[in-house]
């Protein structure tokens, strides 16, 4: 059974529409199918859970730490 569908008109920059059409054509899809697949992925990701390892390390580094600068300082100390 097909899901209930409705027509939607959206406005996008021309380059995005051209990209979507070219992408769909290159992959043997319609633009509707491309958008549908993308939205399904977004829906699945919304319900996805982090792996225990990633969940464990998430938030360990304070938000005010400049990770790139910390790495560079580590490299200077290690190799300098």
């Amino acid at each position: 059974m097909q899901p209930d569908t409705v027509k939607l008109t959206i406005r996008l920059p021309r380059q995005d529409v051209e990209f979507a059409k070219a992408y769909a054509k290159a992959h043997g899809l319609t633009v509707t199918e491309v958008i549908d697949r993308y939205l399904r992925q977004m829906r699945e990701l919304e319900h996805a859970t982090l792996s225990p390892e990633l969940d464990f390390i998430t938030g360990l580094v304070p938000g005010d730490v400049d990770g790139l600068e910390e790495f560079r300082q580590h490299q200077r100390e290690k190799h300098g």
Side-chain angles (χ1 to χ4, degrees):
M1 183 172 159
Q2 289 282 344
D4 187 31
T5 62
V6 294
K7 184 176 180 174
L8 172 68
T9 301
I10 59 173
R11 296 188 189 284
L12 296 170
R14 182 178 308 277
Q15 66 185 20
D16 292 344
V17 173
E18 290 170 1
F19 172 80
K21 287 179 178 181
Y23 181 91
K25 184 177 181 180
H27 291 88
L29 302 167
T30 65
V31 173
T32 298
E33 289 170 322
V34 170
I35 294 170
D36 181 57
R37 288 180 181 197
Y38 181 71
L39 293 173
R40 286 175 193 260
Q41 278 185 320
M42 287 175 50
R43 204 174 298 121
E44 287 175 14
L45 288 174
E46 204 168 75
H47 300 299
T49 58
L50 298 177
S51 70
E53 295 84 7
L54 184 58
D55 191 38
F56 175 75
I57 64 170
T58 299
L60 290 180
V61 178
D64 62 342
V65 171
D66 183 346
L68 185 56
E69 182 53 37
E70 291 291 324
F71 174 73
R72 288 178 178 152
Q73 180 64 32
H74 169 75
Q75 291 295 320
R76 285 191 291 270
E77 291 171 6
K78 181 177 178 181
H79 301 288

